[in-house]
Amino acid sequence: MTTIRVRVGEHWYTVEVGDLGQSPVRVTVDGEVFEVDVEAEIVPTPPRRGRPAGGFTVPDAPTPAPSGSAAPIDDDILRSPMPGRVMSILVRPGDTVSAGDEVCVVEAMKMEQSILAHRNGVVKTVFVQPLDSVNANDPLVELE
C-alpha cells in the first residue's frame, strides 16, 4: 500500500493506494474505501519548489471520483481531469444517466479518458462539443 497526501483546492487528503497490479484497485481517501479501475500507472514527477514532498496538487476541485473516472467530483458538474481535446459526447440535455455511465471522452497525447457520471441524474447542460480543447478542471457536463 502506498500512502500520499493530495491537495484538492484548499483541502489536503491522505490517500492510500493498493496494489496497482490488481483490478479493481483499493483506494482509501481519509478513511473511506473505494474500489477503482486504473487504465495505466502514472509515474509522478519529482516535487517542485513550493510543493510539499510526496504531495500532488490538483487545481480547485473537491474530492476525487470513486466511480473510476479521473475527473474530480463537483456536486453537479463533471470536469475534465486533464488538458486535452473532447473526442466524443455521449449525452444531451435531458438525458438520464446512472452512476458509472460514460458521458464523454477526453483525449490527451493519444490516451483517451472516459468521463463517467459520479451519480444518477439528468443532464442539465453540456458545456463542450466534440474536438473542443479543454484545460484540466474545465466543466464538461452539468447534472441536475
Side-chain angles (χ1 to χ4, degrees), residues 61-110:
T63 56
S67 64
S69 167
I73 293 178
D74 192 350
D75 286 340
D76 298 321
I77 298 178
L78 300 171
R79 298 179 180 274
S80 179
M82 62 193 170
R85 178 171 286 177
V86 176
M87 298 309 293
S88 63
I89 300 170
L90 305 165
V91 296
R92 294 184 286 180
D95 287 354
T96 300
V97 295
S98 298
D101 285 354
E102 186 176 48
V103 297
C104 63
V105 176
V106 175
E107 182 263 345
M109 297 173 48
K110 307 281 185 213

Side-chain angles (χ1 to χ4, degrees), residues 9-140:
E10 296 300 317
H11 304 283
W12 283 95
Y13 299 91
T14 300
V15 179
E16 297 174 345
V17 181
D19 182 3
L20 292 172
Q22 296 182 18
S23 186
V25 175
R26 284 185 78 107
V27 177
T28 305
V29 179
D30 281 349
E32 188 170 354
V33 178
F34 303 100
E35 290 190 351
V36 300
D37 294 317
V38 177
E39 289 184 358
E41 182 176 346
I42 299 172
V43 179
T45 56
R48 293 184 214 151
R49 184 190 302 197
R51 191 168 77 177
F56 299 90
T57 302
V58 178
D60 298 326
T63 56
S67 64
S69 167
I73 293 178
D74 192 350
D75 286 340
D76 298 321
I77 298 178
L78 300 171
R79 298 179 180 274
S80 179
M82 62 193 170
R85 178 171 286 177
V86 176
M87 298 309 293
S88 63
I89 300 170
L90 305 165
V91 296
R92 294 184 286 180
D95 287 354
T96 300
V97 295
S98 298
D101 285 354
E102 186 176 48
V103 297
C104 63
V105 176
V106 175
E107 182 263 345
M109 297 173 48
K110 307 281 185 213
M111 293 187 65
E112 291 187 350
Q113 174 70 49
S114 293
I115 308 304
L116 308 178
H118 60 277
R119 64 172 178 84
N120 298 343
V122 176
V123 175
K124 179 177 181 181
T125 308
V126 177
F127 296 103
V128 293
Q129 296 184 20
L131 303 182
D132 280 357
S133 292
V134 293
N135 292 312
N137 212 29
D138 278 357
L140 301 170

